[in-house]
Amino acid sequence: MIQPNMPETTNWRFEIDVERLGWLTIDTPNSPVNTLSRLAIEELETLVVRFEELAKSGELVGVILLSGKDSGFIAGADVSEFDAMSDFSVLPGALQRTHALFSRIEALKVPMVAGIHGFCLGGGLELALACHYRVAVNNDKTRIGFPEVNLGIFPGFGGTGRSIRQAGPVDAMQLMLTGRMIRAGAARGFNLVDKLVRHRDMLRWEARKAVLQKRESSEAGFAKKVMAMGPLRGYIANKMREQVGKKARKEHYPAPYALIDLFEQHGDNWQAMSHGEIERFVPLMGSDTATNLRRVFFASEALKKQGIKGAKFARVHVIGAGVMGGDIAAWCALRGMSVTLQDLDMARIQPALDRGKKLFKKRLKKKREVDAAMLRFEADPEGKGAARADVIIEAVVEKLEVKQSIFGEMEFKAKPDAILATNTSSIELERIAEKLKQPERLIGLHFFNPVAQLPLVEVIRSTFNTDDAIGRGAAFALAIGKSPVVVKSAPGFLVNRVLMPYMLAAVERVEKGESKELLDAAAVAFGMPMGPIELMDTVGLDVGKSVATELGHAVPEGSNFDTLVKAGKLGRKTGEGFYKWEDGKAQKGDVPSHADLAGLGRELVKPLVDMTEVVVAEGVVANDGLADIGVIMGTGFAPFLGGPIKARKDGKA
C-alpha cells in the first residue's frame, strides 16, 4: 500500500494500492459502531478534496469505502450530538455543508464504491447512496434502512431524494415512513444495493472489480418513477397520509406528515426533493416530539448496559404452556435458544407449539429456518429439560402455593448455576422464595402480552438477590432481544402497579354508564396505543381481576366486570369481554361526540401518572428515566411525550 500525503483524521484511514485504488475505512474511535459525527463529516470533507486532486493527477482511479467495525458499515449520524445540533443557528448550515459534501462525492471523476456489511442505517445509508455503486454482504446480519422517523425526523443528508431516485417513490417512501430495516436481498430488490456477496471477505474483491470496471448504479425504472408524476403523485401522497394516520396522529408525530408534504411537492424530481429536506427538517429536529424521542432512545440504549458481561445461554426450560408460558418459550426458540416446554400433558402443550409455528412462519419466512426453530422447540410434559437448562422460567397460574411447589422441586433439579425465574405479574418474590434452600437464586423475569410485540421484561429483584443474579437475568433478557428494566420486588412491580389504577378507573366509569368506545378513543387521542377498556380485554379480565385483588383493588360483587369474569367472558382470548372480538379485533360501536377527546384522555391517564410518581418515590425503580422507559415499553404510554413523569413535568399529563 502507498501512503499518500493525506490530511490527518481520527475517524478515517486511507491508503492507495499499486493499482491506484484508494481504500477508505471508517472506524469511529472508542465506539462499537461507526457514526457520522460532525468531526467525521468535516474530516471526510478534507479527504474528498484530496480525492479530487489525486483523481485529476491520475494517481487515483477509484475509492472503495469500507468499515473497520465488525458491527457493520455506519449506524447513522451521532445521536448524542442531536440536542446541540437542533439549534436553529447551527443546524441549517451543518445540513447544507453535508449536502454539498455528498454532492461532491457524487460528482467525483472516479468511481466511489461502498462495501456494506452489518448495519447501514440513516446517515450511513445516505452516504452509501451518494456513492456510485454499492456492494452488500447477503447474510442475516446486514440491515439497511432509514430509522429516523423513530427519532421524530426524516433523512436529512439528501437521502429522501436519492432513495427515490434508486428505489422509486413508493418503495423509498415506505422505507422512510416506517423506519423498518430490511435485509440485503430486499435492498437489492429495491435497487438500493447493486451487488450481493456471500461473505464479508468477498467485499474487497467485488468492490475492486466494480471500480476497475467503472460500474455505476442504475436509477429506478419508468414504471416506478411514474408513481410520482403528475396528478398521480397527489393521489399517492393522500394514500400515504391515510396509512400513516392509522398508526400516528399528526399532532403527535409530525415527521412522517412533513415527509409526505415534501414528496407531494417535489417527488417527481429527486434533486429538488433532496434540496427541500433542509427547510422541513430543521423545525422537526427541535420539536418536543423529537426531543422526547431522543430521550427515549438514550434510555433504551442504557438498558443494554444492565446485563452482566460474558453470560452465555443456550437452553431454556419453561413451565406452563398457557398463553404467556407458551409464547415465552416460542420467543426464546425464535431467538436461537433450545427450549423445552413443560405442562401436565400434550393436550395443554400442543396449542403452544402451534402458536409457535405461526410465529416462526411470520418472522422467519424461509421454510428451513422455520423447521430449524421447530426443532429447537420441544414438548416436555415430564420436565426432563429442566436438568439441562441454563434458564428455568415458571409461567403458571398466579397462585402462591403452586409457584412455591414448582420452585421447591426445581431447586434440586436445576444446574447449580441455572437461573430460576418466575413470570409472576404481581406476587412478591420473597413470598415465592421463602421456602427455598437458596432463596437468592430466584429472580423475576416478567414478560408482557403479547410477548412477540412488547419489548419490555421486568427483571425483579428481591431482598435475597445478589447483583450477579440480577445482572445475569438482565443479560438473558438482552440475549433474547428484550429490554430489561430492573425493579424492586413489590406488589405489581412497575407496570402492573401503574397500569391497574388506570384500567380500573376506566372500568368504573363504564360501570357508571359512560361509553367504553368514547373512553378508548379519548386515550388514543391522548397518545396511548389502545384505550383502557380494550386493553383490559387484551390482558384478560381474569388476569385483571387477579392482579387487582393482589394489589388491594376490590372488584365489586355483582359489577359488570365481576359478572363477565364469572361467565367466562374474559376478553380477547374467549371472544368476548367488555367487547365482542372477531379475528383478534374488538367490535366497537360508534364513538359519541366529545368537545375535547385529548383532554378526556389526559384525565383518564392521570391515575397512571400519579402512581408512576409513587413507584419512583418508593424506590421500586431507581430513577425517573427508568420509570419512564419501563412504562413506555410496558404500557405503550405515548413515547412522543417522553414517559409519564417527563410528560407531567412538561405540563402535558
Side-chain angles (χ1 to χ4, degrees), residues 522-579:
V524 172
F526 171 80
M528 302 296 281
M530 68 173 65
I533 306 303
E534 183 178 352
L535 180 59
M536 183 67 86
D537 265 8
T538 302
V539 169
L541 273 62
D542 54 337
V543 175
K545 182 178 179 181
S546 173
V547 174
T549 303
E550 185 71 29
L551 296 178
H553 301 286
V555 175
E557 279 285 329
S559 65
N560 188 37
F561 189 2
D562 180 58
T563 302
L564 288 169
V565 173
K566 288 177 178 176
K569 297 178 179 180
L570 307 179
R572 179 178 177 176
K573 59 188 173 186
T574 61
E576 185 176 355
F578 286 101
Y579 291 108

Side-chain angles (χ1 to χ4, degrees), residues 333-352:
L334 176 72
R335 299 294 300 190
M337 306 283 174
S338 294
V339 182
T340 46
L341 178 59
Q342 180 180 353
D343 213 313
L344 296 176
D345 51 46
M346 277 304 299
R348 288 174 171 82
I349 298 174
Q350 190 60 50

Side-chain angles (χ1 to χ4, degrees), residues 64 82 120 125 164 166 188 240 274 376 420 479 505 576 623:
I64 297 160
F82 279 19
C120 176
L125 178 53
I164 282 177
Q166 294 303 125
R188 176 69 188 91
M240 290 175 181
S274 290
R376 294 193 296 269
L420 300 182
E576 185 176 355
N623 53 55

Side-chain angles (χ1 to χ4, degrees), residues 241 250 256-266 280:
R241 290 189 187 98
K250 186 175 183 179
Y257 295 93
L259 177 59
I260 294 169
D261 291 344
L262 177 63
F263 166 75
E264 188 168 28
Q265 185 178 3
H266 295 303
R280 295 182 186 275

Side-chain angles (χ1 to χ4, degrees), residues 93 106 131 152 158 196 236-237 296 514 548 557 643:
E106 213 160 37
C131 295
L196 299 177
I236 294 295
V296 171
E514 292 189 53
E557 279 285 329

